[in-house]
């Protein structure tokens, strides 16, 4: 499986956008011997200076700099969502492979432009950074479904409770980039599509805007999806930060998590009073800022790693089969069958981490192998996410036209 991952400096990579996600990507890619981090692009001076000081590569003020740098083979794109299309097309035109975070773009027309550019130029586009289509637990769940060990898949349930709306946000995130729906919807839909085989037939859904000051977007999503084979799936996301996904896991350390949330509650009171300085607080969590000032750490993200996996933005997924059910446990999967509940470790074939799986897919694609988490997958996920908004507006069921299947034996 990791035939490429262990080959030193196989690929020279860069990062476009050294923000919150871009900083996390930098920290992650340097752990993979197959990758050499050589460059980055960001208009913020401080981010570029910090990048050169930390990683020693070249930092450009624009993505154009990465396009014309002959030492860059592939670029991880972590720029604001409204720029994904422009940046993918520009990099593809210059022969660069790209790894793109969610959402793929803001519209299906943008997805088409991106797919056309990468296919015409013969470069690889891997979609889903940090995302669900590469998560070892979901890949392991999909393998159990395919094996038929629990009988046929009959339904999927997803629910997520997070404080997405209570984190510092730039105005464009909630006004231009699609708010919580386009930022978090793809996580849920990627996971549901991966587990259900990819081919969603229809969706009826509603988005709810609870009128939180400073957050002019829906923070609550609810949908009923049906796959082409008739399998139903439900999706629920409440991002208003009142209740949390980890409350539904018996292994969470409740007291330390509840204590850490005091900062989130304070932030909500400030939002209501119109007294937050979101841009300044978000800046403190971007690449090059001091970790102590990172709001993510102050509100408890990353505490008590010993608890193992806990649902956060990703939510909880339960797969219901004819003769059992599956959900994620702290360290692997809880598999329920006629004998009871079994805590099963993840099989090594499911990969070491989402990042390792994603890089593996990139390297395999460059070597001419199959990439299924590609532009067409990203477009199919965006189609379902946008259908949620459309269905909410029209109060009608929406039928899908651009779905792609999960290959057998992933
Ligand atoms: N924050 C997360 O944990 C997270 C997780 C998964 C996915 N994402 C996705 O990552 C993307 C960025 O989100 P973020 O939260 O990191 O935002 P952010 O604002 O912290 O980061 C965006 C970065 O892009 C830079 N940028 C802006 N215009 C640019 C341009 N023209 N060229 C190059 N760089 C430019 C900004 O200066 C900033 O550093 C979004 O699409 C989001 O959906 C974020």
């Amino acid at each position: 499986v990791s035939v490429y991952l262990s080959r030193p400096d196989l690929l020279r990579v860069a990062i476009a956008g050294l923000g919150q996600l871009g900083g996390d990507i930098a920290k992650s890619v340097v752990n993979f011997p197959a990758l050499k981090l050589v460059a980055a692009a960001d208009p913020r001076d401080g981010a570029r200076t910090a990048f050169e000081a930390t990683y020693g590569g070249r930092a450009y003020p624009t993505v154009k700099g990465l396009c014309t740098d002959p030492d860059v083979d592939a670029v991880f794109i972590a720029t604001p969502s409204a720029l994904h299309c422009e940046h993918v097309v520009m990099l593809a035109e210059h022969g660069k492979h790209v790894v793109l975070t969610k959402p793929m773009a803001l519209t299906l027309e943008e997805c088409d432009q991106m797919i056309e550019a990468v296919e015409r130029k013969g470069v690889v586009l891997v979609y889903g950074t940090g995302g669900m289509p590469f998560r070892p637990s979901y890949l392991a769940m999909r393998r159990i479904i395919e094996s038929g060990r629990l009988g046929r898949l009959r339904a999927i349930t997803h629910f997520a409770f997070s404080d997405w709306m209570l984190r510092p946000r730039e105005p464009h995130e909630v006004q231009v980039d699609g708010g919580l729906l386009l930022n978090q919807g793809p996580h849920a839909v990627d996971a549901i599509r991966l587990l259900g085989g990819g081919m969603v037939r229809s969706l009826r859904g509603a988005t709810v805007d609870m009128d939180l000051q400073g957050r002019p977007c829906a923070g609550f999503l609810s949908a009923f999806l049906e796959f082409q084979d008739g399998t139903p799936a439900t999706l629920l996301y409440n991002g208003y930060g009142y209740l949390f996904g980890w409350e539904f896991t018996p292994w969470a350390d409740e007291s330390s998590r509840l204590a850490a949330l005091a900062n989130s509650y304070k932030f909500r009171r400030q939002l209501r009073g119109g007294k937050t300085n979101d841009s300044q607080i978000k800046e403190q969590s971007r690449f090059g800022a001091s970790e102590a000032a990172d709001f993510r750490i102050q509100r408890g993200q990353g505490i008590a790693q010993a608890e193992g996996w806990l649902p956060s933005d990703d939510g909880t997924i339960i797969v219901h089969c004819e003769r059992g059910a599956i959900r994620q446990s702290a360290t692997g999967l809880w598999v329920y069958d006629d004998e009871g509940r079994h805590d099963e470790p993840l099989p090594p074939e499911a990969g070491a981490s989402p990042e390792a799986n994603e890089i593996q897919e990139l390297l395999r694609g460059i070597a001419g192998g199959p990439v299924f988490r590609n532009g067409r997958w990203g477009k199919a996920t965006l189609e379902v996410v946008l259908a949620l908004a459309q269905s909410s507006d029209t109060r009608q069921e929406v039928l899908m036209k651009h779905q792609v299947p999960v290959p057998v034996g992933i």
Side-chain angles (χ1 to χ4, degrees), residues 19-21 42-44 78-79 81 84 101-102 183 282 286:
Q20 252 185 19
L21 178 66
D42 200 297
R44 293 179 305 113
T79 52
S81 306
H84 289 177
T101 185
K102 54 74 196 165
N183 190 294
K282 180 141 189 176
R286 294 196 175 114

Side-chain angles (χ1 to χ4, degrees), residues 136-137 140-141 144 149 329-335 342-350:
S137 54
M141 284 160 101
I144 295 178
R149 182 182 137 191
S329 72
T331 53
L333 300 180
W334 274 353
V335 180
H342 316 278
D343 197 353
E344 298 190 3
L346 300 179
E349 317 83 81

Side-chain angles (χ1 to χ4, degrees), residues 199-244:
M199 303 296 289
V200 176
R201 174 191 171 275
S202 62
L203 175 147
R204 173 73 176 93
T207 65
V208 183
D209 181 344
M210 309 229 187
D211 266 342
L212 179 61
Q213 180 156 355
R215 297 288 179 270
C217 68
F220 186 101
L221 315 173
S222 171
F224 175 80
L225 296 78
E226 196 182 40
F227 283 89
Q228 280 183 6
D229 65 2
T231 305
T234 54
L235 177 164
L236 182 145
Y237 196 117
N238 182 342
Y240 285 99
Y242 288 103
L243 59 164
F244 287 83

Side-chain angles (χ1 to χ4, degrees), residues 16-24 41-44 47 60-63 77-84 86-87 101-103 129-130 167 169-170 172-173 177 182-184 187 282-283 285-287 296 301 313:
L18 287 170
Q20 252 185 19
L21 178 66
D24 290 346
D42 200 297
R44 293 179 305 113
Y60 300 97
T62 66
V63 173
I77 298 180
T79 52
S81 306
L83 301 175
H84 289 177
E86 179 189 327
H87 289 158
T101 185
K102 54 74 196 165
T129 309
R167 299 177 206 158
R169 297 279 159 215
E170 297 287 2
H172 67 80
E173 291 182 81
D177 296 345
L182 258 64
N183 190 294
Q184 293 297 292
H187 280 326
K282 180 141 189 176
E283 179 67 18
S285 61
R286 294 196 175 114
F287 182 73
R296 294 181 296 177
Q301 189 172 315
D313 293 1

